[in-house]
Amino acid sequence: MSGPVRVLVVEDDPVAADAHALYVGRVPGFTAVAAVHSLAEATRVLERTPVDLLLLDLTLPDGHGLRFARGLRAAGHRADVIAVTSARDLAMVRESVSLGVVQYVLKPFAFPTLRERLLRYAEFRAAAGEAAGQDDVDRALAALRAPAAAQLPKGLSAPTLDRVAALLRAAPGGLTAAGAAEAAGISRITARRYLEHLVVTGRADRTPRYGQVGRPELHYRWLAAAGSVSNV
Protein backbone atom coordinates (compact mmCIF):
# COMPACT_ATOMS: atom_id res chain seq x y z
CA MET A 1 0.00 0.00 0.00
CA SER A 2 1.57 3.26 -1.10
CA GLY A 3 0.49 6.69 0.11
CA PRO A 4 -1.98 7.48 2.87
CA VAL A 5 -5.38 5.83 3.10
CA ARG A 6 -7.85 8.32 1.62
CA VAL A 7 -10.92 8.66 3.82
CA LEU A 8 -14.27 10.22 2.95
CA VAL A 9 -16.24 11.29 6.03
CA VAL A 10 -20.03 11.10 5.53
CA GLU A 11 -21.86 12.56 8.54
CA ASP A 12 -24.95 14.80 8.61
CA ASP A 13 -23.93 16.68 11.77
CA PRO A 14 -21.42 19.35 10.63
CA VAL A 15 -19.71 19.50 14.04
CA ALA A 16 -19.30 15.72 14.17
CA ALA A 17 -18.17 15.62 10.52
CA ASP A 18 -15.44 18.15 11.20
CA ALA A 19 -14.40 16.25 14.33
CA HIS A 20 -14.23 12.96 12.42
CA ALA A 21 -12.12 14.52 9.68
CA LEU A 22 -9.82 16.04 12.31
CA TYR A 23 -9.49 12.68 14.03
CA VAL A 24 -8.66 10.94 10.74
CA GLY A 25 -5.93 13.48 10.01
CA ARG A 26 -4.32 12.79 13.37
CA VAL A 27 -3.78 9.10 12.61
CA PRO A 28 -0.50 8.37 10.77
CA GLY A 29 -1.09 6.94 7.32
CA PHE A 30 -4.58 8.40 6.89
CA THR A 31 -5.90 11.56 5.27
CA ALA A 32 -9.45 12.93 5.07
CA VAL A 33 -10.18 13.87 1.45
CA ALA A 34 -13.53 15.49 2.32
CA ALA A 35 -16.27 15.70 4.94
CA VAL A 36 -19.80 15.71 3.50
CA HIS A 37 -23.25 15.75 5.06
CA SER A 38 -25.40 13.70 2.68
CA LEU A 39 -25.28 10.68 0.40
CA ALA A 40 -25.72 12.92 -2.65
CA GLU A 41 -22.59 14.85 -1.69
CA ALA A 42 -20.75 11.59 -1.04
CA THR A 43 -21.68 10.35 -4.51
CA ARG A 44 -20.32 13.50 -6.13
CA VAL A 45 -17.02 13.19 -4.25
CA LEU A 46 -16.67 9.51 -5.18
CA GLU A 47 -17.18 10.38 -8.85
CA ARG A 48 -14.19 12.72 -8.94
CA THR A 49 -11.89 11.75 -6.04
CA PRO A 50 -10.09 8.47 -5.28
CA VAL A 51 -11.35 7.13 -1.94
CA ASP A 52 -10.10 4.05 -0.09
CA LEU A 53 -12.33 4.14 2.98
CA LEU A 54 -15.68 5.69 3.92
CA LEU A 55 -16.37 6.72 7.49
CA LEU A 56 -20.10 6.40 6.94
CA ASP A 57 -22.91 7.51 9.20
CA LEU A 58 -25.90 5.20 8.74
CA THR A 59 -28.69 7.73 9.28
CA LEU A 60 -28.50 10.53 6.74
CA PRO A 61 -31.08 13.06 5.49
CA ASP A 62 -31.33 11.51 2.02
CA GLY A 63 -31.12 7.81 2.81
CA HIS A 64 -29.69 4.99 4.88
CA GLY A 65 -25.97 4.35 4.86
CA LEU A 66 -26.32 0.59 4.43
CA ARG A 67 -28.41 1.00 1.27
CA PHE A 68 -25.72 3.37 0.03
CA ALA A 69 -23.03 0.79 0.81
CA ARG A 70 -25.03 -1.87 -1.04
CA GLY A 71 -25.24 0.43 -4.06
CA LEU A 72 -21.49 1.01 -3.99
CA ARG A 73 -20.83 -2.72 -4.06
CA ALA A 74 -23.32 -3.23 -6.89
CA ALA A 75 -21.57 -0.50 -8.90
CA GLY A 76 -18.21 -2.17 -8.38
CA HIS A 77 -16.78 0.49 -6.05
CA ARG A 78 -13.99 -1.03 -3.98
CA ALA A 79 -13.85 1.48 -1.12
CA ASP A 80 -14.14 -0.12 2.30
CA VAL A 81 -16.64 1.12 4.86
CA ILE A 82 -16.46 1.82 8.58
CA ALA A 83 -20.03 2.35 9.81
CA VAL A 84 -20.44 5.12 12.38
CA THR A 85 -23.78 5.25 14.12
CA SER A 86 -25.65 5.52 17.40
CA ALA A 87 -27.92 2.61 16.38
CA ARG A 88 -27.45 -0.43 18.59
CA ASP A 89 -29.65 -2.82 16.61
CA LEU A 90 -27.69 -6.07 16.26
CA ALA A 91 -29.68 -6.99 13.14
CA MET A 92 -28.21 -3.87 11.55
CA VAL A 93 -24.76 -4.96 12.66
CA ARG A 94 -25.26 -8.32 10.95
CA GLU A 95 -26.46 -6.61 7.78
CA SER A 96 -23.40 -4.35 7.88
CA VAL A 97 -21.12 -7.38 8.01
CA SER A 98 -22.93 -8.98 5.08
CA LEU A 99 -22.23 -5.85 3.01
CA GLY A 100 -18.52 -5.92 3.76
CA VAL A 101 -18.46 -3.19 6.40
CA VAL A 102 -15.06 -3.69 8.04
CA GLN A 103 -15.76 -1.93 11.34
CA TYR A 104 -18.84 -0.72 13.25
CA VAL A 105 -18.24 2.18 15.65
CA LEU A 106 -20.92 3.40 18.05
CA LYS A 107 -21.39 7.09 18.69
CA PRO A 108 -20.54 8.97 20.72
CA PHE A 109 -16.84 8.08 20.70
CA ALA A 110 -13.50 9.73 21.46
CA PHE A 111 -10.38 9.98 19.30
CA PRO A 112 -8.61 6.94 20.82
CA THR A 113 -11.51 4.69 19.73
CA LEU A 114 -11.35 5.80 16.11
CA ARG A 115 -7.55 5.76 16.07
CA GLU A 116 -7.52 2.14 17.25
CA ARG A 117 -10.07 1.13 14.58
CA LEU A 118 -8.16 2.89 11.82
CA LEU A 119 -4.83 1.39 12.81
CA ARG A 120 -6.37 -2.08 12.83
CA TYR A 121 -7.86 -1.42 9.40
CA ALA A 122 -4.43 -0.32 8.14
CA GLU A 123 -2.92 -3.56 9.43
CA PHE A 124 -5.61 -5.58 7.67
CA ARG A 125 -5.22 -3.56 4.46
CA ALA A 126 -1.45 -4.01 4.46
CA ALA A 127 -1.71 -7.80 4.47
CA ALA A 128 -0.59 -9.02 1.06
CA GLY A 129 0.66 -12.10 -0.69
CA GLU A 130 -0.54 -15.67 -0.43
CA ALA A 131 -1.39 -17.19 2.93
CA ALA A 132 0.85 -20.08 3.91
CA GLY A 133 -2.00 -21.61 5.86
CA GLN A 134 -4.98 -21.07 8.13
CA ASP A 135 -2.89 -19.20 10.69
CA ASP A 136 -2.04 -16.46 8.18
CA VAL A 137 -5.70 -16.08 7.23
CA ASP A 138 -6.71 -15.94 10.89
CA ARG A 139 -4.08 -13.29 11.64
CA ALA A 140 -5.26 -11.10 8.75
CA LEU A 141 -8.88 -11.26 9.89
CA ALA A 142 -7.96 -10.79 13.55
CA ALA A 143 -6.48 -7.40 12.70
CA LEU A 144 -10.03 -6.07 12.30
CA ARG A 145 -11.24 -7.30 15.65
CA ALA A 146 -11.22 -4.75 18.42
CA PRO A 147 -9.56 -5.83 21.66
CA ALA A 148 -11.57 -6.12 24.84
CA ALA A 149 -12.58 -2.76 26.23
CA ALA A 150 -10.03 -1.25 28.56
CA GLN A 151 -10.93 -1.50 32.21
CA LEU A 152 -11.78 1.65 34.12
CA PRO A 153 -9.38 2.88 36.77
CA LYS A 154 -9.83 1.18 40.13
CA GLY A 155 -12.79 2.60 42.04
CA LEU A 156 -14.72 3.81 38.97
CA SER A 157 -17.82 2.05 37.69
CA ALA A 158 -19.27 2.17 34.19
CA PRO A 159 -22.87 3.01 35.29
CA THR A 160 -21.71 5.97 37.38
CA LEU A 161 -19.41 7.14 34.61
CA ASP A 162 -22.34 6.97 32.19
CA ARG A 163 -24.46 9.03 34.59
CA VAL A 164 -21.81 11.71 35.14
CA ALA A 165 -21.05 11.91 31.42
CA ALA A 166 -24.74 12.27 30.58
CA LEU A 167 -25.12 15.08 33.12
CA LEU A 168 -22.11 16.90 31.71
CA ARG A 169 -23.33 16.51 28.12
CA ALA A 170 -26.72 17.93 29.15
CA ALA A 171 -25.17 21.00 30.82
CA PRO A 172 -24.27 23.54 28.08
CA GLY A 173 -22.58 25.77 30.62
CA GLY A 174 -20.64 22.92 32.19
CA LEU A 175 -20.56 21.68 35.78
CA THR A 176 -18.41 21.91 38.86
CA ALA A 177 -17.60 18.80 40.86
CA ALA A 178 -20.08 19.98 43.50
CA GLY A 179 -22.80 20.44 40.91
CA ALA A 180 -22.16 17.04 39.36
CA ALA A 181 -22.11 15.41 42.79
CA GLU A 182 -25.48 16.88 43.73
CA ALA A 183 -27.08 15.91 40.41
CA ALA A 184 -25.65 12.38 40.42
CA GLY A 185 -26.22 11.70 44.11
CA ILE A 186 -22.56 11.02 44.87
CA SER A 187 -19.87 12.73 46.91
CA ARG A 188 -17.98 15.73 45.56
CA ILE A 189 -14.67 13.82 45.69
CA THR A 190 -16.18 10.91 43.75
CA ALA A 191 -17.71 13.25 41.17
CA ARG A 192 -14.35 14.92 40.65
CA ARG A 193 -12.67 11.54 40.00
CA TYR A 194 -15.17 10.79 37.25
CA LEU A 195 -14.89 14.28 35.79
CA GLU A 196 -11.10 14.04 35.76
CA HIS A 197 -11.35 10.68 34.00
CA LEU A 198 -13.45 12.32 31.28
CA VAL A 199 -10.78 15.01 30.93
CA VAL A 200 -7.94 12.47 30.72
CA THR A 201 -9.78 10.48 28.03
CA GLY A 202 -10.40 13.59 25.94
CA ARG A 203 -14.15 13.89 26.42
CA ALA A 204 -14.19 16.98 28.61
CA ASP A 205 -12.02 19.93 29.53
CA ARG A 206 -11.61 21.90 32.71
CA THR A 207 -10.96 25.56 33.41
CA PRO A 208 -10.48 27.38 36.70
CA ARG A 209 -13.14 29.90 37.68
CA TYR A 210 -11.92 32.64 39.99
CA GLY A 211 -14.28 34.05 42.60
CA GLN A 212 -13.95 36.92 45.01
CA VAL A 213 -11.68 35.12 47.45
CA GLY A 214 -10.05 31.75 47.92
CA ARG A 215 -8.86 29.13 45.47
CA PRO A 216 -10.37 28.95 41.98
CA GLU A 217 -13.07 26.35 41.40
CA LEU A 218 -12.61 23.92 38.52
CA HIS A 219 -15.36 24.03 35.92
CA TYR A 220 -15.83 21.00 33.64
CA ARG A 221 -17.33 21.17 30.15
CA TRP A 222 -18.16 18.39 27.69
CA LEU A 223 -16.19 18.81 24.49
CA ALA A 224 -18.43 19.52 21.50
CA ALA A 225 -16.63 17.04 19.23
CA ALA A 226 -16.89 14.27 21.81
CA GLY A 227 -20.55 15.04 22.34
CA SER A 228 -21.39 13.89 18.88
CA VAL A 229 -18.74 11.49 18.34
CA SER A 230 -16.81 9.08 23.07
CA ASN A 231 -17.21 5.84 24.35
CA VAL A 232 -18.49 6.17 27.85
Side-chain angles (χ1 to χ4, degrees), residues 107-170:
K107 296 189 290 186
F109 61 84
F111 170 63
T113 297
L114 183 59
R115 177 184 59 198
E116 186 266 337
R117 297 302 193 278
L118 290 178
L119 291 176
R120 284 181 167 269
Y121 168 75
E123 184 180 346
F124 169 76
R125 181 180 165 89
E130 185 173 344
Q134 186 66 48
D135 287 347
D136 287 348
V137 174
D138 291 343
R139 275 193 293 273
L141 293 175
L144 290 174
R145 299 185 193 128
Q151 291 188 346
L152 291 172
K154 186 177 180 180
L156 301 189
S157 72
T160 304
L161 180 60
D162 287 346
R163 188 159 71 250
V164 172
L167 289 168
L168 195 58
R169 280 199 300 268

Coordinates of all heavy atoms in Angstrom, one line a residue, residues 107-170:
K107 N -21.5 5.7 18.2 CA -21.4 7.1 18.7 C -22.1 7.2 20.0 O -23.1 6.5 20.3 CB -22.0 8.1 17.7 CG -21.4 8.2 16.4 CD -21.9 9.3 15.5 CE -23.3 9.1 15.0 NZ -23.8 10.1 14.1
P108 N -21.7 8.1 20.9 CA -20.5 9.0 20.7 C -19.2 8.3 21.0 O -19.2 7.3 21.8 CB -20.8 10.1 21.7 CG -21.6 9.4 22.8 CD -22.4 8.4 22.1
F109 N -18.1 8.7 20.4 CA -16.8 8.1 20.7 C -15.8 9.2 20.7 O -15.9 10.2 20.2 CB -16.5 7.0 19.7 CG -16.4 7.5 18.2 CD1 -15.3 8.1 17.8 CD2 -17.5 7.4 17.4 CE1 -15.2 8.6 16.5 CE2 -17.4 7.9 16.1 CZ -16.3 8.5 15.6
A110 N -14.6 8.8 21.4 CA -13.5 9.7 21.5 C -12.4 9.3 20.4 O -12.5 8.3 19.8 CB -12.9 9.7 22.9
F111 N -11.4 10.2 20.3 CA -10.4 10.0 19.3 C -9.7 8.6 19.5 O -9.4 7.9 18.5 CB -9.4 11.1 19.4 CG -8.1 10.9 18.6 CD1 -8.2 10.7 17.2 CD2 -6.9 10.8 19.2 CE1 -7.0 10.5 16.5 CE2 -5.7 10.5 18.5 CZ -5.8 10.4 17.1
P112 N -9.3 8.2 20.7 CA -8.6 6.9 20.8 C -9.4 5.8 20.2 O -8.8 4.8 19.7 CB -8.4 6.8 22.3 CG -8.4 8.2 22.9 CD -9.4 8.9 22.0
T113 N -10.7 5.8 20.3 CA -11.5 4.7 19.7 C -11.3 4.6 18.2 O -11.1 3.6 17.6 CB -13.0 4.9 20.1 OG1 -13.1 4.8 21.5 CG2 -13.9 3.8 19.4
L114 N -11.5 5.8 17.6 CA -11.4 5.8 16.1 C -9.9 5.5 15.7 O -9.7 4.8 14.7 CB -11.8 7.1 15.5 CG -11.8 7.2 14.0 CD1 -12.7 6.2 13.4 CD2 -12.1 8.6 13.5
R115 N -9.0 6.0 16.4 CA -7.5 5.8 16.1 C -7.3 4.3 16.1 O -6.6 3.7 15.2 CB -6.6 6.5 17.1 CG -5.1 6.2 16.8 CD -4.3 6.9 17.9 NE -4.7 6.4 19.2 CZ -4.4 7.0 20.4 NH1 -3.8 8.2 20.3 NH2 -4.8 6.5 21.5
E116 N -7.8 3.6 17.1 CA -7.5 2.1 17.2 C -8.2 1.4 16.1 O -7.6 0.5 15.5 CB -8.1 1.7 18.6 CG -7.8 0.2 18.9 CD -8.9 -0.7 18.5 OE1 -10.0 -0.2 18.4 OE2 -8.6 -1.9 18.2
R117 N -9.4 1.8 15.7 CA -10.1 1.1 14.6 C -9.3 1.4 13.3 O -9.2 0.5 12.4 CB -11.5 1.6 14.5 CG -12.4 1.3 15.6 CD -12.5 -0.1 15.9 NE -13.6 -0.5 16.8 CZ -13.6 -0.4 18.1 NH1 -12.5 0.1 18.7 NH2 -14.6 -0.7 18.9
L118 N -8.9 2.6 13.1 CA -8.2 2.9 11.8 C -6.8 2.2 11.7 O -6.5 1.7 10.7 CB -7.9 4.4 11.7 CG -9.2 5.2 11.4 CD1 -8.8 6.7 11.4 CD2 -9.9 4.8 10.2
L119 N -6.1 2.1 12.8 CA -4.8 1.4 12.8 C -5.0 -0.1 12.5 O -4.2 -0.7 11.8 CB -4.1 1.6 14.1 CG -3.6 3.1 14.3 CD1 -2.9 3.2 15.7 CD2 -2.6 3.5 13.2
R120 N -6.1 -0.7 13.1 CA -6.4 -2.1 12.8 C -6.8 -2.3 11.4 O -6.4 -3.3 10.7 CB -7.5 -2.6 13.7 CG -7.0 -2.8 15.2 CD -8.1 -3.3 16.1 NE -7.4 -3.8 17.3 CZ -7.0 -5.1 17.5 NH1 -7.2 -5.9 16.5 NH2 -6.4 -5.4 18.6
Y121 N -7.5 -1.3 10.8 CA -7.9 -1.4 9.4 C -6.6 -1.3 8.5 O -6.5 -2.1 7.6 CB -8.8 -0.3 9.0 CG -9.0 -0.2 7.5 CD1 -9.8 -1.1 6.8 CD2 -8.4 0.9 6.8 CE1 -9.9 -1.0 5.5 CE2 -8.6 1.0 5.5 CZ -9.3 0.0 4.8 OH -9.4 0.2 3.4
A122 N -5.7 -0.5 8.9 CA -4.4 -0.3 8.1 C -3.6 -1.6 8.2 O -3.1 -2.0 7.2 CB -3.6 0.8 8.7
E123 N -3.6 -2.3 9.3 CA -2.9 -3.6 9.4 C -3.6 -4.6 8.5 O -2.9 -5.4 7.8 CB -2.9 -4.0 10.9 CG -2.2 -5.3 11.1 CD -2.2 -5.7 12.6 OE1 -2.6 -4.9 13.4 OE2 -1.9 -6.9 12.9
F124 N -4.9 -4.6 8.5 CA -5.6 -5.6 7.7 C -5.4 -5.3 6.2 O -5.1 -6.1 5.4 CB -7.1 -5.5 8.0 CG -8.0 -6.2 7.0 CD1 -8.1 -7.6 7.0 CD2 -8.7 -5.5 6.1 CE1 -8.9 -8.2 6.1 CE2 -9.5 -6.1 5.1 CZ -9.6 -7.5 5.2
R125 N -5.4 -4.0 5.8 CA -5.2 -3.6 4.5 C -3.8 -3.9 3.9 O -3.6 -4.1 2.8 CB -5.5 -2.1 4.4 CG -5.4 -1.4 3.0 CD -5.7 0.1 3.1 NE -5.3 0.8 1.9 CZ -6.1 1.0 0.8 NH1 -7.3 0.4 0.8 NH2 -5.6 1.7 -0.2
A126 N -2.8 -3.8 4.9 CA -1.4 -4.0 4.5 C -1.1 -5.5 4.2 O -0.1 -5.8 3.6 CB -0.5 -3.5 5.5
A127 N -2.0 -6.4 4.7 CA -1.7 -7.8 4.5 C -1.7 -8.1 3.0 O -2.6 -7.7 2.3 CB -2.8 -8.6 5.2
A128 N -0.7 -8.7 2.5 CA -0.6 -9.0 1.1 C 0.1 -10.4 0.8 O 0.7 -10.9 1.8 CB 0.2 -7.9 0.4
G129 N 0.0 -10.8 -0.4 CA 0.7 -12.1 -0.7 C -0.3 -13.3 -0.4 O -1.4 -13.1 -0.1
E130 N 0.3 -14.5 -0.6 CA -0.5 -15.7 -0.4 C -0.3 -16.2 1.0 O 0.8 -16.3 1.5 CB -0.1 -16.7 -1.5 CG -1.0 -18.0 -1.5 CD -0.6 -18.9 -2.6 OE1 0.0 -18.4 -3.6 OE2 -1.0 -20.1 -2.5
A131 N -1.5 -16.6 1.6 CA -1.4 -17.2 2.9 C -0.7 -18.6 2.9 O -1.0 -19.4 2.0 CB -2.8 -17.3 3.5
A132 N 0.2 -18.8 3.8 CA 0.8 -20.1 3.9 C -0.1 -21.1 4.5 O 0.1 -22.3 4.3 CB 2.1 -20.0 4.8
G133 N -1.1 -20.7 5.2 CA -2.0 -21.6 5.9 C -3.1 -20.9 6.6 O -3.2 -19.7 6.5
Q134 N -3.9 -21.6 7.4 CA -5.0 -21.1 8.1 C -4.5 -20.0 9.1 O -5.2 -19.0 9.3 CB -5.7 -22.2 8.9 CG -7.0 -21.7 9.6 CD -8.1 -21.3 8.6 OE1 -8.3 -22.0 7.7 NE2 -8.7 -20.1 8.8
D135 N -3.4 -20.2 9.7 CA -2.9 -19.2 10.7 C -2.7 -17.8 10.1 O -3.1 -16.8 10.7 CB -1.6 -19.6 11.3 CG -1.7 -20.8 12.3 OD1 -2.9 -21.1 12.7 OD2 -0.7 -21.4 12.6
D136 N -2.2 -17.8 8.8 CA -2.0 -16.5 8.2 C -3.4 -15.8 7.9 O -3.5 -14.6 8.0 CB -1.3 -16.6 6.9 CG 0.2 -16.9 7.1 OD1 0.7 -16.8 8.2 OD2 0.9 -17.3 6.1
V137 N -4.4 -16.6 7.5 CA -5.7 -16.1 7.2 C -6.3 -15.6 8.5 O -6.9 -14.5 8.6 CB -6.6 -17.2 6.6 CG1 -8.0 -16.7 6.5 CG2 -6.1 -17.6 5.2
D138 N -6.2 -16.3 9.6 CA -6.7 -15.9 10.9 C -6.1 -14.6 11.4 O -6.8 -13.8 11.9 CB -6.5 -17.0 11.9 CG -7.4 -18.3 11.6 OD1 -8.3 -18.1 10.9 OD2 -7.1 -19.3 12.2
R139 N -4.8 -14.5 11.2 CA -4.1 -13.3 11.6 C -4.6 -12.1 10.9 O -4.8 -11.0 11.4 CB -2.6 -13.4 11.5 CG -1.9 -14.1 12.7 CD -0.4 -14.0 12.6 NE 0.2 -14.7 11.5 CZ 0.5 -16.0 11.6 NH1 0.4 -16.7 12.7 NH2 1.1 -16.6 10.5
A140 N -4.8 -12.2 9.6 CA -5.3 -11.1 8.7 C -6.6 -10.7 9.2 O -6.9 -9.5 9.4 CB -5.3 -11.5 7.3
L141 N -7.5 -11.6 9.4 CA -8.9 -11.3 9.9 C -8.9 -10.7 11.3 O -9.7 -9.8 11.6 CB -9.8 -12.5 9.8 CG -10.1 -13.0 8.4 CD1 -10.9 -14.3 8.4 CD2 -10.8 -11.9 7.6
A142 N -8.0 -11.2 12.1 CA -8.0 -10.8 13.6 C -7.6 -9.3 13.7 O -7.9 -8.7 14.6 CB -7.0 -11.6 14.3
A143 N -6.9 -8.8 12.7 CA -6.5 -7.4 12.7 C -7.7 -6.5 12.8 O -7.6 -5.4 13.3 CB -5.6 -7.1 11.5
L144 N -8.8 -6.9 12.3 CA -10.0 -6.1 12.3 C -10.8 -6.2 13.6 O -11.7 -5.3 13.9 CB -11.0 -6.5 11.1 CG -10.5 -6.1 9.7 CD1 -11.4 -6.7 8.7 CD2 -10.4 -4.6 9.6
R145 N -10.5 -7.1 14.4 CA -11.2 -7.3 15.7 C -10.7 -6.4 16.7 O -9.5 -6.4 17.0 CB -11.2 -8.8 16.1 CG -11.7 -9.7 15.1 CD -11.7 -11.1 15.7 NE -12.0 -12.1 14.6 CZ -11.2 -13.2 14.4 NH1 -10.2 -13.4 15.1 NH2 -11.5 -14.0 13.4
A146 N -11.6 -5.6 17.3 CA -11.2 -4.7 18.4 C -10.9 -5.6 19.7 O -11.5 -6.6 19.9 CB -12.3 -3.8 18.7
P147 N -9.9 -5.1 20.4 CA -9.6 -5.8 21.7 C -10.6 -5.6 22.7 O -11.5 -4.7 22.5 CB -8.2 -5.2 22.1 CG -8.3 -3.8 21.5 CD -9.0 -3.9 20.2
A148 N -10.6 -6.3 23.8 CA -11.6 -6.1 24.8 C -11.4 -4.7 25.4 O -10.4 -4.1 25.4 CB -11.3 -7.1 26.0
A149 N -12.6 -4.1 25.7 CA -12.6 -2.8 26.2 C -11.7 -2.6 27.4 O -11.6 -3.5 28.3 CB -14.0 -2.4 26.6
A150 N -10.9 -1.5 27.5 CA -10.0 -1.3 28.6 C -10.8 -1.1 29.9 O -11.9 -0.5 29.9 CB -9.2 0.0 28.3
Q151 N -10.3 -1.6 30.9 CA -10.9 -1.5 32.2 C -10.8 -0.1 32.7 O -9.8 0.6 32.5 CB -10.3 -2.5 33.2 CG -10.6 -3.9 32.9 CD -10.2 -4.8 34.0 OE1 -9.4 -4.4 34.9 NE2 -10.6 -6.1 34.0
L152 N -11.8 0.3 33.5 CA -11.8 1.6 34.1 C -10.8 1.6 35.3 O -10.5 0.6 35.8 CB -13.2 2.0 34.7 CG -14.3 2.3 33.6 CD1 -15.6 2.4 34.3 CD2 -13.9 3.5 32.8
P153 N -10.3 2.8 35.6 CA -9.4 2.9 36.8 C -10.1 2.3 38.0 O -11.3 2.4 38.1 CB -9.1 4.4 36.9 CG -9.3 4.9 35.6 CD -10.4 4.1 34.9
K154 N -9.3 1.8 38.9 CA -9.8 1.2 40.1 C -10.7 2.2 40.9 O -10.3 3.3 41.1 CB -8.7 0.7 41.0 CG -9.1 0.0 42.3 CD -8.0 -0.5 43.1 CE -8.4 -1.3 44.3 NZ -7.3 -1.8 45.1
G155 N -11.9 1.7 41.3 CA -12.8 2.6 42.0 C -13.9 3.3 41.2 O -14.8 3.9 41.7
L156 N -13.7 3.2 39.9 CA -14.7 3.8 39.0 C -15.6 2.7 38.4 O -15.1 1.6 38.1 CB -14.1 4.6 37.8 CG -13.1 5.7 38.2 CD1 -12.8 6.5 36.9 CD2 -13.8 6.7 39.2
S157 N -16.9 3.0 38.3 CA -17.8 2.0 37.7 C -18.4 2.6 36.4 O -18.6 3.8 36.3 CB -18.9 1.7 38.7 OG -19.8 2.8 38.8
A158 N -18.7 1.7 35.5 CA -19.3 2.2 34.2 C -20.6 2.9 34.3 O -20.9 3.9 33.7 CB -19.4 1.0 33.2
P159 N -21.6 2.3 35.2 CA -22.9 3.0 35.3 C -22.7 4.4 35.8 O -23.4 5.3 35.4 CB -23.6 2.1 36.3 CG -23.0 0.8 36.1 CD -21.6 1.0 35.9
T160 N -21.9 4.6 36.8 CA -21.7 6.0 37.4 C -21.0 6.9 36.4 O -21.4 8.1 36.2 CB -20.9 5.9 38.7 OG1 -21.6 5.1 39.6 CG2 -20.8 7.3 39.3
L161 N -20.1 6.3 35.6 CA -19.4 7.1 34.6 C -20.4 7.6 33.5 O -20.4 8.7 33.1 CB -18.3 6.3 34.0 CG -17.5 7.1 32.9 CD1 -16.8 8.3 33.4 CD2 -16.4 6.1 32.3
D162 N -21.3 6.6 33.2 CA -22.3 7.0 32.2 C -23.2 8.1 32.7 O -23.6 9.0 32.0 CB -23.2 5.8 31.9 CG -22.5 4.7 31.1 OD1 -21.5 5.0 30.5 OD2 -23.0 3.6 31.0
R163 N -23.6 8.0 34.0 CA -24.5 9.0 34.6 C -23.8 10.4 34.6 O -24.4 11.4 34.3 CB -24.9 8.6 36.0 CG -26.0 9.5 36.6 CD -26.7 8.7 37.7 NE -25.9 8.6 38.9 CZ -25.4 7.4 39.3 NH1 -25.6 6.3 38.6 NH2 -24.7 7.3 40.5
V164 N -22.5 10.4 35.1 CA -21.8 11.7 35.1 C -21.6 12.3 33.7 O -21.8 13.5 33.5 CB -20.5 11.5 35.9 CG1 -19.6 12.8 35.8 CG2 -20.7 11.1 37.3
A165 N -21.3 11.4 32.8 CA -21.0 11.9 31.4 C -22.3 12.5 30.8 O -22.3 13.5 30.2 CB -20.5 10.8 30.6
A166 N -23.5 11.8 31.1 CA -24.7 12.3 30.6 C -25.1 13.6 31.2 O -25.6 14.5 30.5 CB -25.8 11.2 30.9
L167 N -24.8 13.8 32.5 CA -25.1 15.1 33.1 C -24.3 16.2 32.5 O -24.8 17.3 32.3 CB -24.8 15.0 34.6 CG -25.8 14.1 35.4 CD1 -25.3 13.9 36.8 CD2 -27.2 14.8 35.5
L168 N -23.0 15.9 32.3 CA -22.1 16.9 31.7 C -22.5 17.3 30.3 O -22.5 18.4 29.9 CB -20.7 16.4 31.7 CG -19.6 17.4 31.6 CD1 -19.7 18.5 32.6 CD2 -18.2 16.8 31.6
R169 N -22.9 16.2 29.5 CA -23.3 16.5 28.1 C -24.6 17.4 28.1 O -24.8 18.2 27.2 CB -23.6 15.2 27.4 CG -22.4 14.5 26.9 CD -22.8 13.5 25.8 NE -23.8 12.5 26.3 CZ -23.4 11.3 26.8 NH1 -22.1 11.0 26.9 NH2 -24.3 10.4 27.2
A170 N -25.5 17.2 29.1 CA -26.7 17.9 29.2 C -26.6 19.3 29.8 O -27.6 20.0 29.9 CB -27.8 17.1 29.9

